[in-house]
């Protein structure tokens, strides 16, 4: 039993503890003086506890167990995404939530982890021919259905995560230069068609606005105001920050969804460059350890699962931090383990549990 823990990733756990500490501090501050968010901090505590319980449970499961669940999980995921389009609640312009009474769930969040397991299981079953066209096309087909259902909600952030996860996992699985060229050749006209004929003008504006907020949104109605407020908050924090719970922008509730989408800006204002640098460092350690677990995995299934999780976290960090600093489009995507949230918080903890399972079962250990 003592030797069982030699492969447990304590560095990953330490990074997670640090990020959870940031989350408690910043969600508390972001909801302190907003009557619309009364009770959010208490709910966040509950979400964290649920996430921790799920993480612990998954940690002690052999990750190979999930391979036999991938097909039913995939079917359930597609059905849930279809149900969302019919009965889902609309928030922030996207029909992405299902109200179960006691809780409102965003199915696309846990489905991110399901997609990772499904793709990993598929490629692992095709390991001997993973670089051939059949598994490549099969993976595209597996991804295309949930990606399309998420895209038309429309939830561009989640669609971007799906695509990023698939690309990195495909590279690790053995995508060839020819297949990559074919992907670009197909993706370019599909992107053009979607941009021209599927997206509404206001949606295109929202995606372009980060390039020049005033040019694309001169009346400050389509998101430019959010970017300006975010940049103001980050800039006013300087090197040391204005102090926890002392930010003018954060405590005045000038930023929309500041407890989730713009929590990076709140951190920048109150904790300054030092605080955001430490937070990003912890997120970097988290992603680094996921990639390290992937590199040391004993089989393709574990390697691809860990790679997919690293890609998911990396995409979330780049997009959330990027949109707060106006170098990425505003897509409403949370910062892992820091932003307030239920579905994604639990999903993120579950992903860490899966990472620890891959690390622990690397030597076929038993508890």
């Amino acid at each position: 039993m003592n030797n069982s823990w030699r492969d447990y990733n304590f560095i990953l756990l330490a990074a997670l503890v640090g990020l959870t500490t940031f989350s408690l501090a910043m969600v508390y501050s972001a909801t302190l003086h907003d009557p619309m968010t009364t009770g959010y901090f208490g709910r966040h505590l509950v979400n964290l506890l649920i996430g921790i319980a799920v993480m612990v449970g998954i940690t002690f499961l052999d990750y190979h167990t999930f391979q036999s669940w991938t097909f039913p999980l995939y079917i359930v995921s597609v059905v849930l995404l279809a149900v969302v389009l019919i009965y889902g609640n609309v928030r922030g312009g996207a029909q992405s939530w299902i109200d179960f009474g006691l809780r409102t769930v965003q199915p696309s969040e846990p489905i991110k982890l399901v997609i990772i397991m499904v793709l990993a299981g598929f490629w692992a079953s095709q390991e001997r021919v993973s670089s051939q066209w059949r598994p490549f096309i099969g993976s595209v087909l597996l991804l295309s259905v949930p990606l399309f259902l998420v895209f038309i909600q429309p939830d561009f952030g989640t669609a971007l995560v799906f695509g990023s996860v698939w690309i990195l996992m495909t590279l690790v699985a053995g995508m060839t230069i020819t297949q990559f060229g074919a992907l670009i050749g197909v993706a370019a006209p599909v992107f053009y068609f979607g941009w021209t004929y599927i997206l509404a003008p206001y949606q295109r504006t929202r995606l372009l606005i980060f390039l020049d907020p005033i040019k694309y949104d001169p009346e400050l109605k389509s998101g430019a105001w959010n970017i300006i407020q975010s940049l103001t908050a980050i800039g006013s924090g300087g090197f040391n920050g204005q102090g926890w719970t002392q930010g003018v922008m954060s405590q005045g509730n000038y930023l929309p969804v500041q407890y989730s989408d713009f929590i990076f800006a709140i951190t920048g204002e109150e904790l300054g460059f030092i605080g955001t640098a430490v937070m990003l460092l912890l997120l970097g350690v988290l992603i680094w350890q996921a990639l390290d677990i992937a590199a040391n995995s004993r089989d393709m299934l574990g390697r691809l699962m860990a790679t997919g999780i690293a890609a998911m976290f990396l995409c979330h960090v780049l997009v959330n931090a990027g949109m707060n600093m106006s170098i990425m489009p505003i897509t409403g995507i949370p910062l892992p383990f820091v932003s307030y949230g239920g579905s994604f918080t639990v999903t993120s903890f579950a992903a860490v549990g899966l990472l620890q399972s891959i690390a622990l079962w690397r030597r076929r250990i038993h508890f």
Side-chain angles (χ1 to χ4, degrees), residues 140-200:
V140 172
L141 295 176
L142 283 172
L143 178 72
S144 61
V145 177
L147 178 64
F148 175 75
L149 291 174
V150 164
F151 184 80
I152 62 176
Q153 287 181 3
D155 185 349
F156 305 128
T158 297
L160 179 62
V161 173
F162 280 6
S164 301
V165 163
W166 178 84
I167 289 173
L168 191 55
M169 291 181 71
T170 306
L171 288 171
V172 173
M175 180 170 60
T176 65
I177 297 297
T178 303
Q179 290 168 345
F180 183 75
L183 174 65
I184 299 299
V186 172
V190 169
F191 176 82
Y192 175 79
F193 179 83
W195 181 267
T196 307
Y197 299 105
I198 296 180
L199 295 183

Side-chain angles (χ1 to χ4, degrees), residues 106-238:
Q106 187 176 3
S108 59
E109 296 297 355
I111 289 173
K112 291 173 184 174
L113 189 56
V114 171
I115 291 299
I116 290 170
M117 292 190 292
V118 167
L119 291 174
F122 172 74
W123 272 310
S125 68
Q126 304 287 320
E127 184 172 2
R128 294 184 179 180
V129 293
S130 61
S131 62
Q132 295 183 11
W133 281 99
R134 186 177 64 182
F136 176 80
I137 295 172
S139 68
V140 172
L141 295 176
L142 283 172
L143 178 72
S144 61
V145 177
L147 178 64
F148 175 75
L149 291 174
V150 164
F151 184 80
I152 62 176
Q153 287 181 3
D155 185 349
F156 305 128
T158 297
L160 179 62
V161 173
F162 280 6
S164 301
V165 163
W166 178 84
I167 289 173
L168 191 55
M169 291 181 71
T170 306
L171 288 171
V172 173
M175 180 170 60
T176 65
I177 297 297
T178 303
Q179 290 168 345
F180 183 75
L183 174 65
I184 299 299
V186 172
V190 169
F191 176 82
Y192 175 79
F193 179 83
W195 181 267
T196 307
Y197 299 105
I198 296 180
L199 295 183
Y202 80 91
Q203 293 170 330
R204 292 196 292 269
T205 297
R206 187 178 180 185
L207 293 175
L208 288 172
I209 208 169
F210 77 99
L211 297 172
D212 189 336
I214 303 302
K215 174 183 176 181
Y216 289 101
D217 184 22
E219 297 182 0
L220 306 182
K221 292 182 178 180
S222 298
W225 174 256
N226 298 344
I227 293 177
I228 293 171
Q229 297 296 83
S230 178
L231 292 174
T232 301
I234 294 172
S236 65

Side-chain angles (χ1 to χ4, degrees), residues 14 22 37 78 96 128 132 146 186 193 228 234 247 252 259 270 284 333:
F22 264 99
T37 58
V78 170
S96 304
R128 294 184 179 180
Q132 295 183 11
V186 172
F193 179 83
I228 293 171
I234 294 172
Y259 49 85
E270 296 193 351
I333 195 170

